[in-house]
Amino acid sequence: MIKTRADVKRYLAIEKKLYIKQSFGKKLEQYIMGEPMTKTYRFIKHMRFEAYHHNNSGFIHKLLYAYHRAIRTRLGVKLSVETADNVFAEGLMIWHTGNIVVNGHSKVGKNCMLHGSNCIGNNGLTSDCPVIGDNVRLGVGAKVIGGVTIADNIKIAAGAVVVHSFLEEGITIAGVPARKVK
């Protein structure tokens, strides 16, 4: 959870390396060409500042929370990414935007990778949401549904639908419903 400006800087330093090329020439080219990664990073940046202001009290924090939330929401509509603040730990990488929906009550650990068309949310019957560990990768079209727990270092294959918890670390799961494949 982001509580201080130092937390915001730490989160964004990690994520900027993932999205923005480091040399000045490449960085300039990225912005001029309007590459999707720069737009995704802007979305992440406003999401992090939104979380910081949401987690602190005071009139200025409320104003800045509304400002960052409005921008993040507009960018989210353009990118087709729907999520809330305080869901993802640092290191979030969204490779391909489009049809990404994450319930605001879900909790996702460090270094999560989303490859597009992902859903992390409740099952429609209960309000229980997933708890996902660190270093988890969700392939294109992978879904994690319901009050399940996913351990650290798990790869969820493209198109998998996870409806049961997987507590063994370092495995790959695939299928509908998902099961351990290796």
Side-chain angles (χ1 to χ4, degrees), residues 11-157:
Y11 275 53
L12 291 177
I14 292 166
E15 290 161 347
K16 188 172 187 178
K17 289 177 186 173
L18 298 172
Y19 291 96
I20 307 298
K21 296 185 172 115
Q22 297 306 307
S23 75
F24 177 76
K26 291 290 185 183
K27 197 182 301 185
L28 183 63
E29 179 184 333
Q30 238 180 338
Y31 282 108
I32 291 171
M33 298 307 239
E35 288 188 22
M37 288 301 222
T38 59
K39 292 176 183 155
T40 306
Y41 177 69
R42 281 187 59 220
F43 172 84
I44 300 286
K45 185 175 176 180
H46 286 286
M47 182 179 72
R48 297 308 187 189
F49 276 106
E50 176 188 354
Y52 165 65
H53 293 296
H54 182 257
N55 295 335
N56 288 284
S57 58
F59 180 72
I60 298 297
H61 284 296
K62 286 181 183 179
L63 280 176
L64 290 171
Y65 167 75
Y67 169 77
H68 287 290
R69 182 172 181 156
I71 293 173
R72 184 202 41 92
T73 301
R74 276 198 312 268
L75 287 169
V77 168
K78 286 181 183 177
L79 298 171
S80 191
V81 176
E82 181 183 329
T83 186
D85 57 5
N86 293 318
V87 172
F88 293 96
E90 69 262 19
L92 171 63
M93 182 62 187
I94 300 174
W95 285 103
H96 305 286
T97 57
N99 300 322
I100 295 175
V101 179
V102 181
N103 187 301
H105 298 291
S106 302
K107 292 295 172 200
V108 181
K110 297 177 184 177
N111 305 317
C112 177
M113 287 190 185
L114 302 176
H115 286 275
S117 295
N118 303 116
C119 179
I120 301 172
N122 65 354
N123 60 11
L125 302 173
T126 67
S127 60
D128 297 338
C129 291
V131 176
I132 299 175
D134 297 340
N135 306 311
V136 174
R137 297 178 69 132
L138 280 81
V140 175
K143 317 289 187 235
V144 182
I145 308 295
V148 299
T149 300
I150 305 297
D152 296 342
N153 304 309
I154 288 185
K155 292 178 185 160
I156 302 172

